[in-house]
């Protein structure tokens, strides 16, 4: 999964081909939820905007731990799931 993101990163300012909404919760949906709460489409856009190679994640769960918003304030996330079932369908899943 990480290699895909890295490949995408080499192409400057990549845009997604399509978007659909999440239907069931998964680890990927959880992380997308966190990026979108912080004001980004996904990990790809976050890395482009913030010019970072790595996103800080919880080692136990692999969930995103900390994100910097565009106004430079930080969002900190728990190591447990934060995206509740009622919020799953709000999450946008982008396809590159």
């Amino acid at each position: 999964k990480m290699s895909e993101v890295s490949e995408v990163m080499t192409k400057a300012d990549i845009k997604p081909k399509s978007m659909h909404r999440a239907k069931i919760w998964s680890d990927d949906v959880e992380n997308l939820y966190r990026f979108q709460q912080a004001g980004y489409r996904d990990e790809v856009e976050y890395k482009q905007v913030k010019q970072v190679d790595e996103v800080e994640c919880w080692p136990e769960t692999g969930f995103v731990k900390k994100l910097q918003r565009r106004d430079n304030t930080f969002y900190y996330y728990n190591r447990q799931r934060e995206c509740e079932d009622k919020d799953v369908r709000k999450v946008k899943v982008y396809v590159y």
Side-chain angles (χ1 to χ4, degrees), residues 6-39:
S6 306
E7 281 173 39
V8 169
M9 290 310 299
T10 56
K11 303 177 187 108
D13 206 34
I14 192 93
K15 294 279 187 280
K17 290 192 196 69
S18 64
M19 183 277 285
H20 61 273
R21 300 239 177 221
K23 290 178 182 64
I24 53 166
W25 184 89
S26 69
D27 291 358
D28 289 339
V29 168
E30 177 66 39
N31 279 332
L32 283 169
Y33 174 78
R34 295 173 184 216
F35 282 110
Q36 288 166 21
Q37 265 197 323

Side-chain angles (χ1 to χ4, degrees), residues 15-88:
K15 294 279 187 280
K17 290 192 196 69
S18 64
M19 183 277 285
H20 61 273
R21 300 239 177 221
K23 290 178 182 64
I24 53 166
W25 184 89
S26 69
D27 291 358
D28 289 339
V29 168
E30 177 66 39
N31 279 332
L32 283 169
Y33 174 78
R34 295 173 184 216
F35 282 110
Q36 288 166 21
Q37 265 197 323
Y40 300 93
R41 213 170 35 224
D42 51 22
E43 187 176 349
V44 175
E45 187 185 39
Y46 181 78
K47 287 179 171 180
Q48 281 171 358
V49 172
K50 288 298 170 192
Q51 300 290 303
V52 293
D53 293 330
E54 286 304 311
V55 177
E56 219 175 300
C57 295
W58 289 105
E60 306 87 1
T61 57
F63 296 151
V64 173
K65 183 176 188 178
K66 177 178 91 178
L67 291 174
Q68 192 174 12
R69 289 188 356 188
R70 291 169 194 266
D71 62 4
N72 292 333
T73 56
F74 283 94
Y75 271 8
Y76 295 92
Y77 298 99
N78 296 326
R79 58 171 57 82
Q80 287 88 20
R81 172 179 174 173
E82 287 194 18
C83 179
E84 295 177 39
D85 283 334
K86 66 178 172 54
D87 296 325
V88 166

